[in-house]
Amino acid sequence: MIKVTAVYRWREGATFNHDYYHSEHMRIARAALQPLGLVRLESDRVLYPGEPRPGQVVALTNAFFSDLKQAQVAARQTMAELSADIPNYTNIVPESYFAQMGVISLSVQKTRLRATG
């Protein structure tokens, strides 16, 4: 599983419309990426006590794909459309990266309790 992440870091003078980002931009992203193999799409609004400081992440998106080739093709084919929408919600230039996901399986062990006495 490959995760493509876009991170938005706060800077002095930045603006960010979370409502637009989480509703409209995510709708556009899902519509563009789904035909290209999108498995799951997440968007996070990072919460801080008070106003964000420069360098702090204020929002991020994770798009999941089955393999690296699929993720690369999707990124290449949708970059212009998704980038064109950025000024509608922020003046921050996002950082992006690809990551290979590791899976950790947690098994639950059932234990029987015996009454003593």
Side-chain angles (χ1 to χ4, degrees):
M1 180 77 62
I2 300 297
K3 176 174 67 170
V4 182
T5 300
V7 177
Y8 297 85
R9 292 185 188 280
W10 194 253
R11 62 172 174 71
E12 203 63 44
T15 60
F16 201 98
N17 182 333
H18 287 279
D19 292 334
Y20 182 94
Y21 176 67
H22 293 291
S23 60
E24 188 61 18
H25 185 71
M26 288 299 105
R27 183 193 63 74
I28 293 167
R30 185 177 55 248
L33 295 168
Q34 214 160 24
L36 301 171
L38 178 69
V39 173
R40 185 171 84 225
L41 184 64
E42 303 172 345
S43 67
D44 297 345
R45 178 180 187 167
V46 180
L47 304 174
Y48 295 102
E51 294 299 314
R53 294 188 312 265
Q56 288 183 319
V57 173
V58 293
L60 60 99
T61 296
N62 293 311
F64 297 86
F65 296 87
S66 295
D67 59 59
L68 181 59
K69 182 174 175 137
Q70 208 174 40
Q72 290 171 327
V73 167
R76 223 178 2 260
Q77 289 185 12
T78 62
M79 183 177 291
E81 179 182 3
L82 297 179
S83 295
D85 191 48
I86 292 173
N88 291 321
Y89 60 91
T90 190
N91 59 0
I92 300 171
V93 176
E95 304 165 23
S96 62
Y97 62 89
F98 291 69
Q100 184 170 2
M101 301 288 296
V103 177
I104 299 171
S105 177
L106 300 176
S107 62
V108 177
Q109 184 176 5
K110 294 182 179 181
T111 305
R112 290 186 178 191
L113 298 177
R114 269 192 253 158
T116 58

